[in-house]
Short mmCIF file of all heavy atoms in Angstrom, two decimals:
data_model
loop_
_atom_site.label_atom_id
_atom_site.label_comp_id
_atom_site.label_asym_id
_atom_site.label_seq_id
_atom_site.Cartn_x
_atom_site.Cartn_y
_atom_site.Cartn_z
N LEU A 132 86.00 116.40 105.76
CA LEU A 132 86.56 115.51 104.77
C LEU A 132 87.53 116.21 103.85
O LEU A 132 88.62 115.67 103.41
CB LEU A 132 85.39 114.93 103.99
CG LEU A 132 85.76 113.96 102.82
CD1 LEU A 132 86.54 112.76 103.29
CD2 LEU A 132 84.49 113.57 102.01
N GLY A 133 87.14 117.44 103.40
CA GLY A 133 88.03 118.19 102.51
C GLY A 133 89.40 118.45 103.10
O GLY A 133 90.40 118.33 102.47
N LEU A 134 89.35 118.88 104.38
CA LEU A 134 90.60 119.19 105.09
C LEU A 134 91.48 117.87 105.26
O LEU A 134 92.63 117.89 105.06
CB LEU A 134 90.33 119.82 106.45
CG LEU A 134 91.56 120.19 107.31
CD1 LEU A 134 92.43 121.15 106.59
CD2 LEU A 134 91.17 120.67 108.63
N LEU A 135 90.79 116.77 105.61
CA LEU A 135 91.50 115.51 105.78
C LEU A 135 92.10 115.04 104.50
O LEU A 135 93.34 114.62 104.52
CB LEU A 135 90.49 114.47 106.32
CG LEU A 135 91.09 113.11 106.71
CD1 LEU A 135 92.13 113.21 107.81
CD2 LEU A 135 89.99 112.15 107.07
N LEU A 136 91.37 115.09 103.38
CA LEU A 136 91.93 114.65 102.12
C LEU A 136 93.14 115.50 101.68
O LEU A 136 94.15 114.99 101.14
CB LEU A 136 90.86 114.70 101.08
CG LEU A 136 89.79 113.58 101.15
CD1 LEU A 136 88.72 113.81 100.12
CD2 LEU A 136 90.37 112.20 100.94
N SER A 137 92.94 116.80 101.84
CA SER A 137 94.07 117.71 101.44
C SER A 137 95.30 117.48 102.28
O SER A 137 96.43 117.51 101.75
CB SER A 137 93.63 119.17 101.61
OG SER A 137 93.40 119.49 102.97
N MET A 138 95.11 117.10 103.58
CA MET A 138 96.25 116.87 104.43
C MET A 138 97.03 115.56 104.00
O MET A 138 98.22 115.44 103.97
CB MET A 138 95.85 116.77 105.91
CG MET A 138 95.52 118.16 106.48
SD MET A 138 94.80 118.04 108.11
CE MET A 138 96.20 117.50 109.10
N ILE A 139 96.14 114.48 103.73
CA ILE A 139 96.68 113.20 103.37
C ILE A 139 97.49 113.33 102.06
O ILE A 139 98.67 112.81 102.05
CB ILE A 139 95.53 112.18 103.22
CG1 ILE A 139 94.93 111.85 104.56
CG2 ILE A 139 96.07 110.89 102.55
CD1 ILE A 139 93.65 111.01 104.48
N LEU A 140 96.94 113.96 101.00
CA LEU A 140 97.66 114.07 99.75
C LEU A 140 98.85 114.98 99.90
O LEU A 140 99.88 114.74 99.22
CB LEU A 140 96.67 114.59 98.66
CG LEU A 140 95.58 113.62 98.29
CD1 LEU A 140 94.63 114.36 97.26
CD2 LEU A 140 96.13 112.34 97.71
N GLY A 141 98.76 116.00 100.73
CA GLY A 141 99.89 116.92 100.93
C GLY A 141 101.01 116.35 101.67
O GLY A 141 102.17 116.80 101.55
N PHE A 142 100.69 115.38 102.58
CA PHE A 142 101.76 114.77 103.41
C PHE A 142 102.75 113.93 102.66
O PHE A 142 103.90 113.74 103.07
CB PHE A 142 101.09 113.94 104.55
CG PHE A 142 100.86 114.73 105.80
CD1 PHE A 142 99.69 114.61 106.46
CD2 PHE A 142 101.84 115.63 106.25
CE1 PHE A 142 99.48 115.35 107.62
CE2 PHE A 142 101.66 116.29 107.41
CZ PHE A 142 100.46 116.19 108.12
N ILE A 143 102.30 113.30 101.46
CA ILE A 143 103.19 112.44 100.75
C ILE A 143 104.47 113.15 100.31
O ILE A 143 105.55 112.73 100.62
CB ILE A 143 102.39 111.81 99.60
CG1 ILE A 143 101.26 110.96 100.06
CG2 ILE A 143 103.40 110.99 98.70
CD1 ILE A 143 100.40 110.41 99.00
N PRO A 144 104.39 114.34 99.56
CA PRO A 144 105.62 114.97 99.21
C PRO A 144 106.29 115.67 100.37
O PRO A 144 107.50 115.72 100.42
CB PRO A 144 105.14 116.04 98.21
CG PRO A 144 103.70 116.24 98.46
CD PRO A 144 103.21 114.88 98.93
#
Side-chain angles (χ1 to χ4, degrees):
L132 177 62
L134 181 60
L135 183 63
L136 289 174
S137 65
M138 290 174 66
I139 291 172
L140 292 176
F142 268 135
I143 297 173

